[in-house]
Amino acid sequence: MSVLTKSPGYIRKWIQSTANAEKPARGESIIDVANSEQEDLFIRKLRQCCVGFDFMDPVADLKGKEVKRATLNEVVDYITSGRGVLTEPVYPEIIRMIACNLFRTLPPSDNPDFDPEEDDPTLEASWPHLTLVYEFFLRFLESPDFQPTIGKKVIDQKFVLQLLELFDSEDPRERDFLKTVLHRIYGKFLGLRAFIRKQINNFFLRKVETLCSGKVRFVYETEHFNGVGELLEILGSIINGFALPLKAEHKQFLVRVLIPLHKVRCLSLYHAQLAYCVVQFLEKDATLTEQVIKGLLKFWPKTCSQKEVMFLGEIEEILDVIEPAQFVKIQEPLFKQIAKCVSSPHFQVAERALYFWNNEYIMSLIEENNQVIMPIMFPALYRISKEHWNQTIVALVYNVLKTFMEMNSRLFDDLTASYKADRQKEKKKEREREDLWRKMQDLSIKNANKEGISLDMIEMNHVKD
């Protein structure tokens, strides 16, 4: 078994002993030695960078930490400015150094009740060194001298799996680097693409389990969603490159993972990336639209106004790319939900829903299907125009009603008359109920008096009525 296939702990101990035996001379720079010696010195410096330090103690071994930081800066500059420096022998040394520094047990959260929307994340103590290692890794992958045919010997499936485990890091700086690194690996190594897609799918399936009842249960230990946004961002560009027709496994991923991910409380952490992925799928295959819209309506938030605003924003993005034939299939359930949103006492929800009428393409779809949409929306709009507490919402509603009137004046008049007639019927029923209730009260008082029962409380209530 080669050293590289062993555990990071073994690698670290092996490299440290090698580094101690082959430490470069103090002040010896790679570019200052003869060309024939640069490869050897570069390898020795890479091994020196495998020495680990305790960053939990900020004053421990300050000199050693500074020497490593300077060495990391030097090797970053060397592969950035040098040409022909990525020779075949340095590839395994580079990956060993990267593995030794990056692949580690992530520390537990400082806050067991961590709320990603409210609390600050736990930052990686060794970041002064880690950031340089990540920078070096990116420069290595992006170098004009990088050869995937050699790189695939050391960047394999096991390496990718260890890299994916780091997405659970609480430090957003590390996750941002990991996102870029994984994207570069996906682009460079064609043979790893299917494996990376599969492992990203598995990552999400570990985060969310869709039950037969449609409820969503989160099954990963920390109940945090570290890495979801970053991996969704990578997935967005991967979906963009899918060939048509879409494979069944890709459609299944949309239904089983992406749609249920809308259910979580901390949706705001990654909603932009999630919505982008969903829209990418619909641009690839318009026939998925009905399934997506019905899925969103199924998970529509009932008590969280912030999430409701996000859902409305995503719906508008979907409607921006929807085909007219697909719009017809979902218009009734969708606009019933929009009517509820317009009626919301939370003005931001109502406002976001009413902004749909500022979108020219959506307006054209509504106009083509006004016979269906106007009867759904009219009662809510008319009632709000008379009752809503927020004047901005009332003004927006008046604009929508005006648009409807210009769109189909005859239908508008019919709906107005029908609404007023219905309201009159409701008022009549309400008066009849009140009259009946008064008669019952009077009758109860009369009967109580016959029986000699004290009716002070009854009379008091009667006076109040």
Side-chain angles (χ1 to χ4, degrees):
M1 182 184 289
S2 68
V3 173
L4 188 57
T5 59
K6 291 183 178 290
S7 68
Y10 180 94
I11 295 173
R12 189 175 288 106
K13 290 177 182 177
W14 180 82
I15 292 292
Q16 187 164 355
S17 64
T18 309
N20 290 336
E22 298 186 74
K23 283 185 180 178
R26 181 176 295 179
E28 192 176 19
S29 176
I30 302 174
I31 60 174
D32 291 338
V33 301
N35 290 341
S36 59
E37 299 176 14
Q38 286 186 356
E39 180 185 288
D40 181 61
L41 183 56
F42 181 37
I43 290 173
R44 289 161 62 196
K45 284 185 177 280
L46 287 171
R47 291 176 178 176
Q48 186 185 31
C49 289
C50 293
V51 178
F53 294 93
D54 180 14
F55 277 85
M56 299 309 291
D57 184 352
V59 296
D61 205 351
L62 293 176
K63 184 177 180 181
K65 291 174 182 175
E66 178 55 29
V67 169
K68 180 175 177 179
R69 188 195 64 79
T71 306
L72 284 168
N73 272 316
E74 183 183 352
V75 295
V76 168
D77 292 340
Y78 179 63
I79 67 166
T80 303
S81 57
R83 287 293 174 267
V85 300
L86 295 182
T87 56
E88 188 166 352
V90 306
Y91 277 71
E93 300 291 343
I94 286 173
I95 296 303
R96 286 188 189 114
M97 187 275 282
I98 290 168
C100 206
N101 282 277
L102 299 188
F103 300 154
R104 66 205 189 277
T105 302
L106 295 173
S109 175
D110 291 341
N111 181 3
D113 300 319
F114 177 74
D115 183 344
E117 294 182 324
E118 300 290 339
D119 302 324
D120 292 329
T122 302
L123 299 179
E124 175 58 51
S126 61
W127 190 247
H129 285 177
L130 274 186
T131 183
L132 293 171
V133 175
Y134 276 114
E135 186 66 33
F136 177 82
F137 196 3
L138 277 177
R139 300 289 178 90
F140 169 61
L141 292 171
E142 294 171 351
S143 170
D145 296 335
F146 181 79
Q147 299 180 56
T149 52
I150 301 175
K152 69 181 181 181
K153 298 175 183 178
V154 288
I155 298 178
D156 54 12
Q157 292 185 359
K158 182 179 179 181
F159 184 89
V160 169
L161 279 174
Q162 290 176 297
L163 207 61
L164 281 166
E165 288 176 3
L166 295 175
F167 276 94
D168 262 341
S169 171
E170 271 195 32
D171 195 325
R173 301 168 300 181
E174 180 165 22
R175 297 199 305 271
D176 195 55
F177 264 118
L178 284 165
K179 173 189 67 179
T180 309
V181 164
L182 187 62
H183 199 269
R184 295 292 180 273
I185 291 174
Y186 186 88
K188 295 281 185 181
F189 300 100
L190 299 181
L192 286 174
R193 288 186 177 181
F195 178 78
I196 290 173
R197 288 199 302 269
K198 181 180 178 182
Q199 295 309 316
I200 290 177
N201 289 1
N202 290 342
F203 174 92
F204 285 117
L205 286 171
R206 287 196 303 270
K207 300 287 184 185
V208 58
E209 177 184 7
T210 308
L211 304 179
C212 295
S213 64
K215 294 180 181 179
V216 174
R217 179 160 57 109
F218 302 105
V219 295
Y220 104 105
E221 298 80 26
T222 63
E223 297 182 358
H224 296 166
F225 279 76
N226 299 333
V228 172
E230 289 80 9
L231 284 172
L232 283 172
E233 197 167 332
I234 295 172
L235 196 62
S237 59
I238 292 175
I239 295 167
N240 193 35
F242 280 166
L244 295 176
L246 289 177
K247 295 180 181 178
E249 65 187 82
H250 298 151
K251 296 179 182 179
Q252 191 178 42
F253 178 76
L254 170 66
V255 174
R256 289 187 59 200
V257 176
L258 294 188
I259 299 303
L261 273 174
H262 289 79
K263 180 75 173 177
V264 303
R265 183 173 60 86
C266 55
L267 177 64
S268 61
L269 294 178
Y270 56 78
H271 180 253
Q273 297 93 326
L274 179 59
Y276 179 78
C277 288
V278 171
V279 172
Q280 288 294 303
F281 265 109
L282 299 184
E283 288 188 323
K284 287 285 181 180
D285 188 349
T287 62
L288 295 169
T289 305
E290 185 176 7
Q291 207 168 4
V292 167
I293 292 291
K294 288 183 176 178
L296 290 177
L297 293 176
K298 177 182 178 181
F299 292 122
W300 200 276
K302 301 293 190 296
T303 58
C304 182
S305 299
Q306 181 191 13
K307 279 184 65 177
E308 209 165 354
V309 170
M310 286 188 278
F311 270 56
L312 286 165
E314 184 171 352
I315 289 291
E316 183 168 5
E317 289 184 46
I318 292 171
L319 292 179
D320 272 334
V321 299
I322 199 170
E323 293 182 358
Q326 297 299 322
F327 180 81
V328 171
K329 296 178 182 179
I330 53 88
Q331 59 182 342
E332 286 193 47
L334 177 60
F335 277 86
K336 284 177 182 177
Q337 182 61 57
I338 292 174
K340 292 178 183 176
C341 293
V342 166
S343 302
S344 172
H346 195 290
F347 82 95
Q348 288 181 335
V349 174
E351 183 179 54
R352 188 65 189 83
L354 289 165
Y355 278 163
F356 281 22
W357 275 262
N358 292 338
N359 186 304
E360 290 185 12
Y361 181 61
I362 295 175
M363 276 297 298
S364 69
L365 294 170
I366 292 172
E367 187 166 7
E368 288 174 15
N369 300 275
N370 66 76
Q371 293 284 347
V372 175
I373 295 171
M374 282 178 63
I376 295 172
M377 294 298 305
F378 187 87
L381 292 169
Y382 198 92
R383 184 177 65 255
I384 294 164
S385 69
K386 307 295 183 183
E387 300 174 2
H388 204 281
W389 64 272
N390 187 289
Q391 291 305 307
T392 302
I393 300 302
V394 172
L396 289 171
V397 166
Y398 275 130
N399 288 335
V400 173
L401 288 171
K402 181 182 177 184
T403 303
F404 277 163
M405 185 168 60
E406 294 170 351
M407 199 177 285
N408 190 333
S409 59
R410 175 177 290 182
L411 179 58
F412 185 89
D413 291 342
D414 290 345
L415 291 170
T416 303
S418 175
Y419 178 81
K420 289 181 177 179
D422 289 342
R423 286 293 293 161
Q424 288 299 322
K425 289 178 183 178
E426 288 177 13
K427 289 179 179 178
K428 183 179 179 183
K429 286 182 179 179
E430 190 175 340
R431 286 195 299 270
E432 288 174 352
R433 278 197 303 270
E434 289 176 355
D435 291 343
L436 181 60
W437 182 244
R438 287 194 183 93
K439 288 178 181 178
M440 290 177 65
Q441 282 184 315
D442 292 341
L443 185 60
S444 65
I445 292 170
K446 184 177 179 181
N447 290 336
N449 286 334
K450 282 184 179 181
E451 300 294 331
I453 300 172
S454 175
L455 295 175
D456 291 342
M457 293 303 297
I458 296 176
E459 289 175 354
M460 189 180 298
N461 291 333
H462 183 63
V463 170
K464 286 181 179 178
D465 291 339

